[in-house]
């Protein structure tokens, strides 16, 4: 069970997740949430966009055909929150910001989304590998989660 909570979906510890290489906003935030709230021992594999993930052992996310991917106006991060029943108000707020950064041309993006996108663009452009992007992005996600946990500026 997830962290001893019998109301959440059951998963094995140390799950292997697969996503597209050259991770950016949504994939980094989703991986951060997986490690922080779902499975701290999770591992990640980055594959080319054209790779058939049905032949790779693991749970695909933010990749064509994956259950955890953009759907019904939600980004992958928001879909993860829904799938694993993560009902934290700060995570929901963070999800809206991540969606706005990942889909900047969609309506209704919170004002913080543009700044978050700029920071993640810098991480993408100045990191040598996907693992480095994930590490740097995790620090940003920790800070964004702390910001979203604060009641200042919320309506």
């Amino acid at each position: 069970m997830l962290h001893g909570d019998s109301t959440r979906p059951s998963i094995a510890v140390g799950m292997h997740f697969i996503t597209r290489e050259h991770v950016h906003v949504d994939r980094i935030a989703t991986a951060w949430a997986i490690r922080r709230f779902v499975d701290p021992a999770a591992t990640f594999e980055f594959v080319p966009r054209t790779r058939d993930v049905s032949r790779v052992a693991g749970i695909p996310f933010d990749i064509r055909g994956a259950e955890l991917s953009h759907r019904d106006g939600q980004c992958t991060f928001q879909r993860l929150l829904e799938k694993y029943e993560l009902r934290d108000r700060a995570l929901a707020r963070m999800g809206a910001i991540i969606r706005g950064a990942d889909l900047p041309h969609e309506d209704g993006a919170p004002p913080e989304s543009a700044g978050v996108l700029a920071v993640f663009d810098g991480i993408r452009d100045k990191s040598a590998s996907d693992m480095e992007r994930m590490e740097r992005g995790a620090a940003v996600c920790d800070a964004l989660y702390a910001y979203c946990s604060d009641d200042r500026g919320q309506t």
Side-chain angles (χ1 to χ4, degrees):
M1 295 310 222
L2 292 175
H3 308 290
D5 185 344
S6 62
T7 63
R8 289 190 182 157
S10 195
I11 65 163
V13 174
M15 295 298 296
H16 184 68
F17 290 85
I18 304 156
T19 193
R20 292 178 288 120
E21 61 190 354
H22 308 297
V23 293
H24 197 228
V25 179
D26 194 20
R27 284 171 281 151
I28 292 171
T30 300
W32 169 84
I34 288 168
R35 278 216 178 124
R36 178 98 188 258
F37 298 99
V38 176
D39 180 3
T43 58
F44 297 92
E45 181 177 349
F46 311 101
V47 300
R49 176 183 296 275
T50 56
R51 177 94 178 260
D52 178 5
V53 295
S54 67
R55 301 183 189 278
V56 180
I59 301 167
F61 72 94
D62 204 52
I63 199 163
R64 183 172 293 140
E67 175 187 4
L68 286 175
S69 197
H70 290 228
R71 187 171 297 127
D72 300 327
Q74 294 180 315
C75 67
T76 304
F77 183 90
Q78 292 170 312
R79 302 275 299 152
L80 178 86
L81 300 182
E82 189 175 279
K83 176 178 176 61
Y84 290 103
E85 300 174 8
L86 301 172
R87 307 263 187 255
D88 182 335
R89 192 175 100 184
L91 284 174
R93 183 176 180 207
M94 186 174 169
I97 294 168
I98 294 297
R99 180 188 178 276
D102 192 50
L103 303 168
H105 303 294
E106 298 285 323
D107 292 332
E112 298 90 346
S113 295
V116 168
L117 176 59
V119 170
F120 276 98
D121 282 352
I123 289 170
R124 177 198 60 209
D125 296 345
K126 296 299 180 184
S127 300
S129 70
D130 283 318
M131 289 308 292
E132 186 178 342
R133 287 178 192 96
M134 295 267 290
E135 184 178 308
R136 290 178 174 184
V140 173
C141 289
D142 284 337
L144 183 58
Y145 180 68
Y147 170 81
C148 290
S149 296
D150 189 344
D151 287 334
R152 288 178 295 171
Q154 291 190 31
T155 56

